[in-house]
Amino acid sequence: MTSPAIERLVGHLGKLPGLGPRSARRAALHLLERRESHLEPLLVALRTAAESVRACSVCGNLDAQDPCAICADPERDRAAICVVEQVADLWALERTLMFRGRYHVLGGLLSALDGIGPEDLAIAALVARAGAPEVSEIILATSATVDGQTTAHYVADRLAESDVAISRLAHGLPVGGELDYLDDGTLGTALKARQRLL
Amino acid sequence: MTSPAIERLVGHLGKLPGLGPRSARRAALHLLERRESHLEPLLVALRTAAESVRACSVCGNLDAQDPCAICADPERDRAAICVVEQVADLWALERTLMFRGRYHVLGGLLSALDGIGPEDLAIAALVARAGAPEVSEIILATSATVDGQTTAHYVADRLAESDVAISRLAHGLPVGGELDYLDDGTLGTALKARQRLL
């Protein structure tokens, strides 16, 4: 009984990650009931972002400038490139404030099941960047999943010719994680990679 | 380090119910990485809904037509009016396919804390509708919360002069609910309102 315009809005909101059909309905209502304060500003923000935000031609980050603010920042260390699956991972690493180098967004992971091969990812561009004289380390920061690790191995192979150090993120206990609740794989890895204190 | 255009989009998405700051960030990225397939259609759907959807002048439902499809439907029973807090509740009741009457959206609940009094809700309009000769029953379908029940009592008082039956939704076990997991209030109410089988 709801109008097609509302149903379409619910449908498109429901495609957002984190919003199921029920919360998409709630979100649509929320917007329609707060036209001035919420719907219009969201419309403007979406339009502005759609018009201004582009993928960085160097690293693949999303930004209103190209090269992106990270690639263009002269303060960032040009020796290290951190390779991530997607822009979300780049942002997550940025939030840690622990990495001052630059990034490279692969745009996905190798996956036989989904038919994603090396030519679908920004691997050739990474190999080209790794060849630059100022680059001395490539950090493979893909997820600790099967596809993530497969991709990391493949990328490491492709970089073998380059004269750069290749590293990957440490695996182990998440900070604040209770042993009791941890999966066996993580626990086993943490045990194998134990670090001597004294 | 992310551009202001992205931050603004994240901010506005984060105001949607069900999306926290983290999922708003994921949703923004999801849209920006799928401009053609997701961002543009959402933009169009939002604009269309903003332009076409209005509150029904009779019941307060949201629809592209006024009166809304429910109020305009000659098949719906004009004797019963179901009073709900908000449009989401109306839609939830519609999904049950169990009610064939019409609705009245109060637009909120009485709340001393939030400073919401009777004049902020569509109560006068309800009293007027209840006075129509074809109306014989008002069903108070507000939530089983303190504010919901206070509002129901107040509305019932205001309708006391009208020549209509006033009912409220039954309280008791949710269908599929396990006794073990039920709060004491619901369980007590269900016991008090027990129904004889034989």
Side-chain angles (χ1 to χ4, degrees):
Chain A
M1 287 306 280
T2 49
S3 91
I6 300 180
E7 287 306 321
R8 263 196 303 275
L9 178 57
V10 170
H12 288 296
L13 285 172
K15 286 184 195 157
L16 293 176
L19 280 187
R22 207 168 187 132
S23 20
R25 202 161 282 279
R26 274 206 305 148
L29 263 178
H30 180 90
L31 288 171
L32 289 168
E33 285 173 342
R34 293 161 189 82
R35 199 172 304 251
E36 303 286 303
S37 64
H38 287 71
L39 200 158
E40 296 293 347
L42 177 59
L43 252 177
V44 173
L46 273 171
R47 199 178 305 127
T48 312
E51 281 162 8
S52 69
V53 178
R54 293 285 171 269
C56 171
S57 56
V58 179
C59 75
N61 184 20
L62 289 168
D63 203 340
Q65 59 182 86
D66 184 16
C68 75
I70 295 175
C71 286
D73 185 351
E75 301 277 293
R76 307 279 305 208
D77 180 10
R78 302 183 87 77
I81 295 177
C82 183
V83 180
V84 293
E85 176 195 342
Q86 50 183 356
V87 178
D89 302 334
L90 186 163
W91 291 2
L93 284 162
E94 276 299 284
R95 283 197 296 275
T96 67
L97 302 173
M98 302 279 278
F99 179 66
R100 296 300 300 158
R102 291 177 301 153
Y103 294 91
H104 192 83
V105 179
L106 292 176
L109 294 176
L110 296 177
S111 165
L113 243 96
D114 299 335
I116 298 174
E119 64 291 343
D120 299 314
L121 306 179
I123 295 178
L126 174 64
V127 175
R129 287 182 73 190
E134 74 266 26
V135 177
S136 61
E137 183 182 6
I138 306 279
I139 304 167
L140 301 175
T142 50
S143 298
T145 57
V146 172
D147 284 349
Q149 296 306 297
T150 308
T151 308
H153 278 291
Y154 179 85
V155 171
D157 272 354
R158 287 280 299 267
L159 291 170
E161 306 283 283
S162 316
D163 189 22
V164 289
I166 298 172
S167 57
R168 70 156 172 76
L169 296 187
H171 293 177
L173 304 191
V175 174
E178 294 183 51
L179 235 65
D180 213 15
Y181 289 94
L182 225 54
D183 64 290
D184 299 349
T186 304
L187 206 51
T189 311
L191 189 64
K192 251 200 294 192
R194 65 188 176 277
Q195 290 174 317
R196 198 145 164 197
L197 287 178
L198 285 174
Chain B
M1 288 305 281
T2 50
S3 91
I6 300 180
E7 286 306 320
R8 263 197 302 276
L9 178 58
V10 170
H12 287 297
L13 286 171
K15 286 185 193 156
L16 294 176
L19 280 188
R22 206 167 189 134
S23 20
R25 200 160 284 278
R26 274 206 304 148
L29 264 178
H30 180 91
L31 289 171
L32 288 168
E33 285 173 341
R34 293 161 188 81
R35 201 173 302 252
E36 303 286 303
S37 64
H38 287 71
L39 200 158
E40 295 294 345
L42 177 60
L43 252 178
V44 173
L46 273 171
R47 200 180 303 127
T48 313
E51 281 162 7
S52 68
V53 177
R54 293 285 172 267
C56 171
S57 56
V58 179
C59 75
N61 185 19
L62 289 168
D63 203 342
Q65 61 182 84
D66 183 17
C68 74
I70 296 174
C71 285
D73 185 351
E75 301 277 293
R76 308 278 304 209
D77 179 10
R78 303 184 85 77
I81 295 176
C82 183
V83 179
V84 292
E85 177 195 342
Q86 51 184 356
V87 178
D89 303 334
L90 185 163
W91 290 1
L93 284 161
E94 277 298 283
R95 283 197 296 275
T96 68
L97 302 173
M98 302 279 278
F99 179 66
R100 297 299 302 159
R102 290 177 303 153
Y103 293 91
H104 191 84
V105 180
L106 291 176
L109 293 177
L110 296 177
S111 165
L113 243 95
D114 299 334
I116 298 174
E119 66 290 342
D120 299 314
L121 307 180
I123 296 178
L126 174 64
V127 175
R129 288 182 73 189
E134 74 266 26
V135 176
S136 61
E137 182 183 6
I138 306 278
I139 304 167
L140 302 174
T142 49
S143 298
T145 56
V146 172
D147 285 349
Q149 296 306 298
T150 308
T151 308
H153 277 290
Y154 179 85
V155 171
D157 271 355
R158 288 279 300 266
L159 290 169
E161 305 283 284
S162 316
D163 190 20
V164 289
I166 298 171
S167 56
R168 70 156 171 79
L169 297 187
H171 292 177
L173 305 191
V175 174
E178 295 182 50
L179 236 65
D180 214 15
Y181 289 94
L182 225 55
D183 64 290
D184 300 349
T186 305
L187 205 51
T189 311
L191 188 66
K192 251 199 295 193
R194 64 188 176 277
Q195 290 174 316
R196 202 151 159 192
L197 288 179
L198 285 172

mmCIF file with all atom_site columns, all heavy atoms in Angstrom, chain A residues 166-186:
data_model
loop_
_atom_site.group_PDB
_atom_site.id
_atom_site.type_symbol
_atom_site.label_atom_id
_atom_site.label_alt_id
_atom_site.label_comp_id
_atom_site.label_asym_id
_atom_site.label_entity_id
_atom_site.label_seq_id
_atom_site.pdbx_PDB_ins_code
_atom_site.Cartn_x
_atom_site.Cartn_y
_atom_site.Cartn_z
_atom_site.occupancy
_atom_site.B_iso_or_equiv
_atom_site.pdbx_formal_charge
_atom_site.auth_seq_id
_atom_site.auth_comp_id
_atom_site.auth_asym_id
_atom_site.auth_atom_id
_atom_site.pdbx_PDB_model_num
ATOM 1   N N   . ILE A 1 166 ? 59.625 -6.627  1.425  1.00 0.00 ? 166 ILE A N   1
ATOM 2   C CA  . ILE A 1 166 ? 58.180 -6.878  1.419  1.00 0.00 ? 166 ILE A CA  1
ATOM 3   C C   . ILE A 1 166 ? 57.798 -7.423  2.784  1.00 0.00 ? 166 ILE A C   1
ATOM 4   O O   . ILE A 1 166 ? 58.437 -8.353  3.290  1.00 0.00 ? 166 ILE A O   1
ATOM 5   C CB  . ILE A 1 166 ? 57.807 -7.898  0.320  1.00 0.00 ? 166 ILE A CB  1
ATOM 6   C CG1 . ILE A 1 166 ? 58.190 -7.318  -1.050 1.00 0.00 ? 166 ILE A CG1 1
ATOM 7   C CG2 . ILE A 1 166 ? 56.332 -8.240  0.369  1.00 0.00 ? 166 ILE A CG2 1
ATOM 8   C CD1 . ILE A 1 166 ? 58.048 -8.292  -2.180 1.00 0.00 ? 166 ILE A CD1 1
ATOM 9   N N   . SER A 1 167 ? 56.787 -6.816  3.432  1.00 0.00 ? 167 SER A N   1
ATOM 10  C CA  . SER A 1 167 ? 56.378 -7.293  4.753  1.00 0.00 ? 167 SER A CA  1
ATOM 11  C C   . SER A 1 167 ? 54.872 -7.467  4.790  1.00 0.00 ? 167 SER A C   1
ATOM 12  O O   . SER A 1 167 ? 54.164 -7.033  3.888  1.00 0.00 ? 167 SER A O   1
ATOM 13  C CB  . SER A 1 167 ? 56.823 -6.286  5.826  1.00 0.00 ? 167 SER A CB  1
ATOM 14  O OG  . SER A 1 167 ? 56.271 -5.017  5.527  1.00 0.00 ? 167 SER A OG  1
ATOM 15  N N   . ARG A 1 168 ? 54.382 -8.123  5.818  1.00 0.00 ? 168 ARG A N   1
ATOM 16  C CA  . ARG A 1 168 ? 52.924 -8.190  5.987  1.00 0.00 ? 168 ARG A CA  1
ATOM 17  C C   . ARG A 1 168 ? 52.583 -7.834  7.432  1.00 0.00 ? 168 ARG A C   1
ATOM 18  O O   . ARG A 1 168 ? 53.468 -7.833  8.295  1.00 0.00 ? 168 ARG A O   1
ATOM 19  C CB  . ARG A 1 168 ? 52.387 -9.571  5.607  1.00 0.00 ? 168 ARG A CB  1
ATOM 20  C CG  . ARG A 1 168 ? 52.751 -10.709 6.552  1.00 0.00 ? 168 ARG A CG  1
ATOM 21  C CD  . ARG A 1 168 ? 51.719 -11.837 6.430  1.00 0.00 ? 168 ARG A CD  1
ATOM 22  N NE  . ARG A 1 168 ? 52.102 -13.027 7.169  1.00 0.00 ? 168 ARG A NE  1
ATOM 23  C CZ  . ARG A 1 168 ? 52.016 -13.167 8.486  1.00 0.00 ? 168 ARG A CZ  1
ATOM 24  N NH1 . ARG A 1 168 ? 51.598 -12.177 9.246  1.00 0.00 ? 168 ARG A NH1 1
ATOM 25  N NH2 . ARG A 1 168 ? 52.371 -14.299 9.071  1.00 0.00 ? 168 ARG A NH2 1
ATOM 26  N N   . LEU A 1 169 ? 51.328 -7.531  7.695  1.00 0.00 ? 169 LEU A N   1
ATOM 27  C CA  . LEU A 1 169 ? 50.903 -7.185  9.052  1.00 0.00 ? 169 LEU A CA  1
ATOM 28  C C   . LEU A 1 169 ? 51.099 -8.394  9.966  1.00 0.00 ? 169 LEU A C   1
ATOM 29  O O   . LEU A 1 169 ? 50.974 -9.532  9.516  1.00 0.00 ? 169 LEU A O   1
ATOM 30  C CB  . LEU A 1 169 ? 49.426 -6.786  9.066  1.00 0.00 ? 169 LEU A CB  1
ATOM 31  C CG  . LEU A 1 169 ? 49.035 -5.539  8.279  1.00 0.00 ? 169 LEU A CG  1
ATOM 32  C CD1 . LEU A 1 169 ? 47.564 -5.212  8.547  1.00 0.00 ? 169 LEU A CD1 1
ATOM 33  C CD2 . LEU A 1 169 ? 49.902 -4.352  8.667  1.00 0.00 ? 169 LEU A CD2 1
ATOM 34  N N   . ALA A 1 170 ? 51.370 -8.127  11.264 1.00 0.00 ? 170 ALA A N   1
ATOM 35  C CA  . ALA A 1 170 ? 51.480 -9.210  12.227 1.00 0.00 ? 170 ALA A CA  1
ATOM 36  C C   . ALA A 1 170 ? 50.108 -9.835  12.480 1.00 0.00 ? 170 ALA A C   1
ATOM 37  O O   . ALA A 1 170 ? 49.086 -9.156  12.417 1.00 0.00 ? 170 ALA A O   1
ATOM 38  C CB  . ALA A 1 170 ? 52.051 -8.664  13.531 1.00 0.00 ? 170 ALA A CB  1
ATOM 39  N N   . HIS A 1 171 ? 50.102 -11.132 12.733 1.00 0.00 ? 171 HIS A N   1
ATOM 40  C CA  . HIS A 1 171 ? 48.862 -11.804 13.165 1.00 0.00 ? 171 HIS A CA  1
ATOM 41  C C   . HIS A 1 171 ? 48.990 -12.116 14.640 1.00 0.00 ? 171 HIS A C   1
ATOM 42  O O   . HIS A 1 171 ? 50.086 -12.382 15.117 1.00 0.00 ? 171 HIS A O   1
ATOM 43  C CB  . HIS A 1 171 ? 48.661 -13.103 12.394 1.00 0.00 ? 171 HIS A CB  1
ATOM 44  C CG  . HIS A 1 171 ? 48.390 -12.889 10.940 1.00 0.00 ? 171 HIS A CG  1
ATOM 45  N ND1 . HIS A 1 171 ? 48.243 -13.896 10.034 1.00 0.00 ? 171 HIS A ND1 1
ATOM 46  C CD2 . HIS A 1 171 ? 48.229 -11.747 10.241 1.00 0.00 ? 171 HIS A CD2 1
ATOM 47  C CE1 . HIS A 1 171 ? 48.020 -13.398 8.841  1.00 0.00 ? 171 HIS A CE1 1
ATOM 48  N NE2 . HIS A 1 171 ? 47.998 -12.099 8.930  1.00 0.00 ? 171 HIS A NE2 1
ATOM 49  N N   . GLY A 1 172 ? 47.888 -12.111 15.359 1.00 0.00 ? 172 GLY A N   1
ATOM 50  C CA  . GLY A 1 172 ? 47.952 -12.440 16.783 1.00 0.00 ? 172 GLY A CA  1
ATOM 51  C C   . GLY A 1 172 ? 46.697 -12.007 17.495 1.00 0.00 ? 172 GLY A C   1
ATOM 52  O O   . GLY A 1 172 ? 45.651 -11.793 16.865 1.00 0.00 ? 172 GLY A O   1
ATOM 53  N N   . LEU A 1 173 ? 46.782 -11.893 18.807 1.00 0.00 ? 173 LEU A N   1
ATOM 54  C CA  . LEU A 1 173 ? 45.626 -11.490 19.604 1.00 0.00 ? 173 LEU A CA  1
ATOM 55  C C   . LEU A 1 173 ? 45.207 -10.073 19.235 1.00 0.00 ? 173 LEU A C   1
ATOM 56  O O   . LEU A 1 173 ? 46.058 -9.187  19.172 1.00 0.00 ? 173 LEU A O   1
ATOM 57  C CB  . LEU A 1 173 ? 45.996 -11.451 21.095 1.00 0.00 ? 173 LEU A CB  1
ATOM 58  C CG  . LEU A 1 173 ? 46.566 -12.683 21.759 1.00 0.00 ? 173 LEU A CG  1
ATOM 59  C CD1 . LEU A 1 173 ? 46.574 -12.453 23.265 1.00 0.00 ? 173 LEU A CD1 1
ATOM 60  C CD2 . LEU A 1 173 ? 45.756 -13.906 21.426 1.00 0.00 ? 173 LEU A CD2 1
ATOM 61  N N   . PRO A 1 174 ? 43.931 -9.825  19.020 1.00 0.00 ? 174 PRO A N   1
ATOM 62  C CA  . PRO A 1 174 ? 43.493 -8.440  18.912 1.00 0.00 ? 174 PRO A CA  1
ATOM 63  C C   . PRO A 1 174 ? 43.652 -7.770  20.270 1.00 0.00 ? 174 PRO A C   1
ATOM 64  O O   . PRO A 1 174 ? 43.473 -8.422  21.302 1.00 0.00 ? 174 PRO A O   1
ATOM 65  C CB  . PRO A 1 174 ? 42.016 -8.539  18.532 1.00 0.00 ? 174 PRO A CB  1
ATOM 66  C CG  . PRO A 1 174 ? 41.603 -9.929  18.839 1.00 0.00 ? 174 PRO A CG  1
ATOM 67  C CD  . PRO A 1 174 ? 42.823 -10.785 18.912 1.00 0.00 ? 174 PRO A CD  1
ATOM 68  N N   . VAL A 1 175 ? 44.007 -6.486  20.270 1.00 0.00 ? 175 VAL A N   1
ATOM 69  C CA  . VAL A 1 175 ? 44.189 -5.771  21.541 1.00 0.00 ? 175 VAL A CA  1
ATOM 70  C C   . VAL A 1 175 ? 42.867 -5.750  22.291 1.00 0.00 ? 175 VAL A C   1
ATOM 71  O O   . VAL A 1 175 ? 41.836 -5.389  21.729 1.00 0.00 ? 175 VAL A O   1
ATOM 72  C CB  . VAL A 1 175 ? 44.690 -4.333  21.292 1.00 0.00 ? 175 VAL A CB  1
ATOM 73  C CG1 . VAL A 1 175 ? 44.747 -3.553  22.597 1.00 0.00 ? 175 VAL A CG1 1
ATOM 74  C CG2 . VAL A 1 175 ? 46.056 -4.364  20.636 1.00 0.00 ? 175 VAL A CG2 1
ATOM 75  N N   . GLY A 1 176 ? 42.871 -6.155  23.544 1.00 0.00 ? 176 GLY A N   1
ATOM 76  C CA  . GLY A 1 176 ? 41.646 -6.213  24.324 1.00 0.00 ? 176 GLY A CA  1
ATOM 77  C C   . GLY A 1 176 ? 40.906 -7.534  24.159 1.00 0.00 ? 176 GLY A C   1
ATOM 78  O O   . GLY A 1 176 ? 39.897 -7.769  24.806 1.00 0.00 ? 176 GLY A O   1
ATOM 79  N N   . GLY A 1 177 ? 41.390 -8.392  23.266 1.00 0.00 ? 177 GLY A N   1
ATOM 80  C CA  . GLY A 1 177 ? 40.692 -9.658  23.012 1.00 0.00 ? 177 GLY A CA  1
ATOM 81  C C   . GLY A 1 177 ? 40.907 -10.639 24.141 1.00 0.00 ? 177 GLY A C   1
ATOM 82  O O   . GLY A 1 177 ? 42.024 -10.785 24.641 1.00 0.00 ? 177 GLY A O   1
ATOM 83  N N   . GLU A 1 178 ? 39.851 -11.340 24.552 1.00 0.00 ? 178 GLU A N   1
ATOM 84  C CA  . GLU A 1 178 ? 39.981 -12.340 25.599 1.00 0.00 ? 178 GLU A CA  1
ATOM 85  C C   . GLU A 1 178 ? 40.287 -13.689 24.962 1.00 0.00 ? 178 GLU A C   1
ATOM 86  O O   . GLU A 1 178 ? 39.632 -14.086 23.998 1.00 0.00 ? 178 GLU A O   1
ATOM 87  C CB  . GLU A 1 178 ? 38.692 -12.417 26.407 1.00 0.00 ? 178 GLU A CB  1
ATOM 88  C CG  . GLU A 1 178 ? 38.426 -11.145 27.183 1.00 0.00 ? 178 GLU A CG  1
ATOM 89  C CD  . GLU A 1 178 ? 37.176 -11.282 28.039 1.00 0.00 ? 178 GLU A CD  1
ATOM 90  O OE1 . GLU A 1 178 ? 37.071 -12.265 28.778 1.00 0.00 ? 178 GLU A OE1 1
ATOM 91  O OE2 . GLU A 1 178 ? 36.303 -10.398 27.941 1.00 0.00 ? 178 GLU A OE2 1
ATOM 92  N N   . LEU A 1 179 ? 41.251 -14.384 25.522 1.00 0.00 ? 179 LEU A N   1
ATOM 93  C CA  . LEU A 1 179 ? 41.696 -15.662 24.997 1.00 0.00 ? 179 LEU A CA  1
ATOM 94  C C   . LEU A 1 179 ? 40.539 -16.614 24.776 1.00 0.00 ? 179 LEU A C   1
ATOM 95  O O   . LEU A 1 179 ? 40.432 -17.306 23.761 1.00 0.00 ? 179 LEU A O   1
ATOM 96  C CB  . LEU A 1 179 ? 42.667 -16.303 25.988 1.00 0.00 ? 179 LEU A CB  1
ATOM 97  C CG  . LEU A 1 179 ? 44.017 -16.662 25.373 1.00 0.00 ? 179 LEU A CG  1
ATOM 98  C CD1 . LEU A 1 179 ? 44.711 -15.379 24.966 1.00 0.00 ? 179 LEU A CD1 1
ATOM 99  C CD2 . LEU A 1 179 ? 44.846 -17.439 26.368 1.00 0.00 ? 179 LEU A CD2 1
ATOM 100 N N   . ASP A 1 180 ? 39.697 -16.625 25.797 1.00 0.00 ? 180 ASP A N   1
ATOM 101 C CA  . ASP A 1 180 ? 38.556 -17.496 25.859 1.00 0.00 ? 180 ASP A CA  1
ATOM 102 C C   . ASP A 1 180 ? 37.651 -17.413 24.631 1.00 0.00 ? 180 ASP A C   1
ATOM 103 O O   . ASP A 1 180 ? 37.061 -18.396 24.204 1.00 0.00 ? 180 ASP A O   1
ATOM 104 C CB  . ASP A 1 180 ? 37.764 -17.017 27.074 1.00 0.00 ? 180 ASP A CB  1
ATOM 105 C CG  . ASP A 1 180 ? 37.080 -18.162 27.723 1.00 0.00 ? 180 ASP A CG  1
ATOM 106 O OD1 . ASP A 1 180 ? 37.470 -19.280 27.402 1.00 0.00 ? 180 ASP A OD1 1
ATOM 107 O OD2 . ASP A 1 180 ? 36.175 -17.928 28.530 1.00 0.00 ? 180 ASP A OD2 1
ATOM 108 N N   . TYR A 1 181 ? 37.519 -16.200 24.083 1.00 0.00 ? 181 TYR A N   1
ATOM 109 C CA  . TYR A 1 181 ? 36.578 -15.972 22.993 1.00 0.00 ? 181 TYR A CA  1
ATOM 110 C C   . TYR A 1 181 ? 37.246 -16.047 21.630 1.00 0.00 ? 181 TYR A C   1
ATOM 111 O O   . TYR A 1 181 ? 36.602 -15.869 20.611 1.00 0.00 ? 181 TYR A O   1
ATOM 112 C CB  . TYR A 1 181 ? 35.920 -14.596 23.158 1.00 0.00 ? 181 TYR A CB  1
ATOM 113 C CG  . TYR A 1 181 ? 34.962 -14.552 24.301 1.00 0.00 ? 181 TYR A CG  1
ATOM 114 C CD1 . TYR A 1 181 ? 35.354 -14.116 25.554 1.00 0.00 ? 181 TYR A CD1 1
ATOM 115 C CD2 . TYR A 1 181 ? 33.647 -14.976 24.121 1.00 0.00 ? 181 TYR A CD2 1
ATOM 116 C CE1 . TYR A 1 181 ? 34.480 -14.090 26.615 1.00 0.00 ? 181 TYR A CE1 1
ATOM 117 C CE2 . TYR A 1 181 ? 32.758 -14.965 25.179 1.00 0.00 ? 181 TYR A CE2 1
ATOM 118 C CZ  . TYR A 1 181 ? 33.178 -14.519 26.420 1.00 0.00 ? 181 TYR A CZ  1
ATOM 119 O OH  . TYR A 1 181 ? 32.298 -14.507 27.459 1.00 0.00 ? 181 TYR A OH  1
ATOM 120 N N   . LEU A 1 182 ? 38.557 -16.293 21.632 1.00 0.00 ? 182 LEU A N   1
ATOM 121 C CA  . LEU A 1 182 ? 39.299 -16.221 20.388 1.00 0.00 ? 182 LEU A CA  1
ATOM 122 C C   . LEU A 1 182 ? 39.183 -17.525 19.609 1.00 0.00 ? 182 LEU A C   1
ATOM 123 O O   . LEU A 1 182 ? 39.125 -18.605 20.182 1.00 0.00 ? 182 LEU A O   1
ATOM 124 C CB  . LEU A 1 182 ? 40.760 -15.946 20.730 1.00 0.00 ? 182 LEU A CB  1
ATOM 125 C CG  . LEU A 1 182 ? 41.435 -14.894 19.884 1.00 0.00 ? 182 LEU A CG  1
ATOM 126 C CD1 . LEU A 1 182 ? 40.633 -13.609 19.906 1.00 0.00 ? 182 LEU A CD1 1
ATOM 127 C CD2 . LEU A 1 182 ? 42.819 -14.650 20.416 1.00 0.00 ? 182 LEU A CD2 1
ATOM 128 N N   . ASP A 1 183 ? 39.167 -17.420 18.276 1.00 0.00 ? 183 ASP A N   1
ATOM 129 C CA  . ASP A 1 183 ? 39.126 -18.645 17.467 1.00 0.00 ? 183 ASP A CA  1
ATOM 130 C C   . ASP A 1 183 ? 40.477 -19.341 17.521 1.00 0.00 ? 183 ASP A C   1
ATOM 131 O O   . ASP A 1 183 ? 41.507 -18.728 17.787 1.00 0.00 ? 183 ASP A O   1
ATOM 132 C CB  . ASP A 1 183 ? 38.755 -18.304 16.021 1.00 0.00 ? 183 ASP A CB  1
ATOM 133 C CG  . ASP A 1 183 ? 39.806 -17.430 15.378 1.00 0.00 ? 183 ASP A CG  1
ATOM 134 O OD1 . ASP A 1 183 ? 39.918 -16.250 15.774 1.00 0.00 ? 183 ASP A OD1 1
ATOM 135 O OD2 . ASP A 1 183 ? 40.518 -17.933 14.497 1.00 0.00 ? 183 ASP A OD2 1
ATOM 136 N N   . ASP A 1 184 ? 40.457 -20.647 17.243 1.00 0.00 ? 184 ASP A N   1
ATOM 137 C CA  . ASP A 1 184 ? 41.668 -21.468 17.355 1.00 0.00 ? 184 ASP A CA  1
ATOM 138 C C   . ASP A 1 184 ? 42.765 -20.998 16.411 1.00 0.00 ? 184 ASP A C   1
ATOM 139 O O   . ASP A 1 184 ? 43.942 -21.023 16.763 1.00 0.00 ? 184 ASP A O   1
ATOM 140 C CB  . ASP A 1 184 ? 41.331 -22.928 17.045 1.00 0.00 ? 184 ASP A CB  1
ATOM 141 C CG  . ASP A 1 184 ? 40.308 -23.463 18.026 1.00 0.00 ? 184 ASP A CG  1
ATOM 142 O OD1 . ASP A 1 184 ? 40.048 -22.767 19.031 1.00 0.00 ? 184 ASP A OD1 1
ATOM 143 O OD2 . ASP A 1 184 ? 39.776 -24.560 17.797 1.00 0.00 ? 184 ASP A OD2 1
ATOM 144 N N   . GLY A 1 185 ? 42.378 -20.568 15.221 1.00 0.00 ? 185 GLY A N   1
ATOM 145 C CA  . GLY A 1 185 ? 43.372 -20.142 14.231 1.00 0.00 ? 185 GLY A CA  1
ATOM 146 C C   . GLY A 1 185 ? 44.198 -18.978 14.747 1.00 0.00 ? 185 GLY A C   1
ATOM 147 O O   . GLY A 1 185 ? 45.428 -19.007 14.704 1.00 0.00 ? 185 GLY A O   1
ATOM 148 N N   . THR A 1 186 ? 43.512 -17.964 15.265 1.00 0.00 ? 186 THR A N   1
ATOM 149 C CA  . THR A 1 186 ? 44.212 -16.788 15.783 1.00 0.00 ? 186 THR A CA  1
ATOM 150 C C   . THR A 1 186 ? 45.089 -17.172 16.959 1.00 0.00 ? 186 THR A C   1
ATOM 151 O O   . THR A 1 186 ? 46.247 -16.753 17.059 1.00 0.00 ? 186 THR A O   1
ATOM 152 C CB  . THR A 1 186 ? 43.194 -15.725 16.246 1.00 0.00 ? 186 THR A CB  1
ATOM 153 O OG1 . THR A 1 186 ? 42.332 -15.433 15.156 1.00 0.00 ? 186 THR A OG1 1
ATOM 154 C CG2 . THR A 1 186 ? 43.888 -14.449 16.682 1.00 0.00 ? 186 THR A CG2 1
#
